[in-house]
Amino acid sequence: MKLSTKGRYGVAAMYDLALHYGQGPISLKSVAQRQGISEHYLEQLMGALRKAGYVKSIRGSQGGYTLTKDPTQITVGDIITIMEGPIAPVDCVLTDEAENTYCERAGACVTRGVWAKVRDSINNVLDSISLADLCREDKKQGDE
Amino acid sequence: MKLSTKGRYGVAAMYDLALHYGQGPISLKSVAQRQGISEHYLEQLMGALRKAGYVKSIRGSQGGYTLTKDPTQITVGDIITIMEGPIAPVDCVLTDEAENTYCERAGACVTRGVWAKVRDSINNVLDSISLADLCREDKKQGDE
DNA sequence: AGAAAACCTATCATTTTACTCGGATAAAGT
DNA sequence: ACTTTATCCGAGTAAAATGATAGGTTTTCT
């Protein structure tokens, strides 16, 4: 039940972009340095976020990335879903309809209910936290 | 964020043992057949559960496994923890003290709070469901 | 004795992970 | 125009994890 670096790096990078929201394009080089991530690897991850429409890229010198939406409108759950696919502890609860595709036991499976509850509780947490929330948290720590 | 088969098989097997609790030793062969698991692989998994004290084994003909505690006293969280190690989306929240071991950024890391919340919400769900709960669920479905 | 079962160690094919490498393309400043 | 700074794109790759399988030993019941 571990998150891969894709998810962690994705959230770290998006959080970094949120901290600089409104300051023009931010280069991946600077993001990678601040967050301690391989720049080249991060490039690949940002491609996914760009295709999903969460970030916009500006090529060329002085280029970089910016969020396409306000940090209040992007949740940690959004990012994780893009980076790692739908959150689900087992494939048979990927969607509410996936039931029969993955398990012939179908409705008779009592453990399936457990995994669905786990999925929902994870999603509740992740969807309730926006990038803006993280930025607020950062500011609070800086004040101390 | 997927559970491995270790966790799933472990819960399935323990659930099977719970259904037969009080009926003497249950052979892994029968468990494996009912749950659709490789018998030989399941053997390895049961070793971990035995060492952790959740099951007792009786060797020889007519032997098998039994739970060491009442199904009400064993939670899904117990089993998953044995099979997959402590539940935590990232290593820096394995324990509340793991902070500094895994991340020099330590207290300044705002995402760490997110992972701790996810960890707690998963554990809340898993620790709240006992094997007895699953058996009750099974009976309910049988009645329909 | 013979069968059934747990127990133990080793090996292995496949997949996933977390990268690296090498370039192509694009825009800005000089 | 040229250089620099970026994003963009596809391939390759070493290491680890996963999900087993293989083959044998020991124990106990009938």
Side-chain angles (χ1 to χ4, degrees):
Chain A
M1 283 295 277
K2 287 280 183 296
L3 220 54
S4 73
T5 55
K6 284 185 190 176
R8 279 194 289 129
Y9 291 177
V11 171
M14 291 294 276
Y15 161 66
D16 194 285
L17 291 183
L19 281 178
H20 298 91
Y21 186 60
Q23 302 175 16
I26 309 295
S27 75
L28 281 196
K29 189 175 183 178
S30 67
V31 173
Q33 269 170 5
R34 276 188 299 267
Q35 302 298 324
I37 305 174
S38 149
E39 185 189 344
H40 227 52
Y41 186 37
L42 184 56
E43 264 182 31
Q44 296 172 30
L45 307 186
M46 293 309 288
L49 289 164
R50 180 172 46 82
K51 282 166 190 160
Y54 289 104
V55 295
K56 184 174 62 182
S57 63
I58 293 100
R59 298 180 69 165
S61 186
Q62 303 303 108
Y65 286 85
T66 56
L67 301 182
T68 55
K69 311 181 202 178
D70 191 86
T72 56
Q73 300 304 306
I74 302 175
T75 69
V76 176
D78 291 333
I79 301 165
I80 302 268
T81 302
I82 297 301
M83 302 314 297
E84 314 227 352
I87 300 279
V90 302
D91 284 341
C92 72
V93 296
L94 270 181
T95 67
D96 283 331
E97 299 79 33
E99 201 174 328
N100 300 320
T101 317
Y102 292 93
C103 185
E104 65 294 341
R105 251 162 268 245
C109 179
V110 299
T111 54
R112 193 172 177 276
V114 178
W115 313 139
K117 278 184 193 167
V118 170
R119 174 199 61 190
D120 292 343
S121 95
I122 297 173
N123 280 321
N124 268 340
V125 172
L126 293 181
D127 292 345
S128 73
I129 304 173
S130 72
L131 289 177
D133 293 330
L134 294 182
C135 293
R136 234 187 325 271
E137 195 67 26
D138 175 72
K139 213 177 166 198
K140 217 165 61 187
Q141 291 190 349
D143 291 347
E144 281 160 15
Chain B
M1 283 294 279
K2 287 280 185 295
L3 221 54
S4 73
T5 55
K6 284 185 190 174
R8 281 195 288 129
Y9 290 179
V11 172
M14 291 293 276
Y15 162 66
D16 193 283
L17 291 183
L19 281 178
H20 298 90
Y21 187 60
Q23 302 176 16
I26 308 296
S27 76
L28 279 196
K29 189 176 182 176
S30 67
V31 173
Q33 269 170 4
R34 276 189 298 266
Q35 302 297 324
I37 303 174
S38 149
E39 184 189 345
H40 228 52
Y41 186 37
L42 183 57
E43 262 184 33
Q44 297 172 31
L45 307 187
M46 293 309 289
L49 289 164
R50 179 172 46 83
K51 282 166 192 162
Y54 289 106
V55 296
K56 184 174 60 184
S57 64
I58 292 100
R59 296 181 72 163
S61 187
Q62 303 303 110
Y65 287 85
T66 56
L67 300 182
T68 55
K69 311 181 201 178
D70 192 87
T72 56
Q73 300 304 306
I74 301 174
T75 69
V76 176
D78 292 332
I79 301 165
I80 303 266
T81 301
I82 297 302
M83 302 313 299
E84 315 227 352
I87 300 280
V90 302
D91 283 341
C92 73
V93 295
L94 269 181
T95 67
D96 283 330
E97 300 78 32
E99 200 174 328
N100 300 320
T101 317
Y102 292 94
C103 184
E104 65 295 338
R105 251 162 269 244
C109 179
V110 298
T111 54
R112 190 171 179 277
V114 178
W115 313 139
K117 279 184 192 167
V118 170
R119 174 198 61 191
D120 292 342
S121 94
I122 297 173
N123 279 321
N124 268 340
V125 173
L126 293 181
D127 292 344
S128 73
I129 303 173
S130 71
L131 289 177
D133 293 329
L134 294 182
C135 293
R136 233 186 328 269
E137 194 67 27
D138 175 74
K139 213 175 166 197
K140 217 166 63 185
Q141 289 190 350
D143 291 345
E144 280 161 17

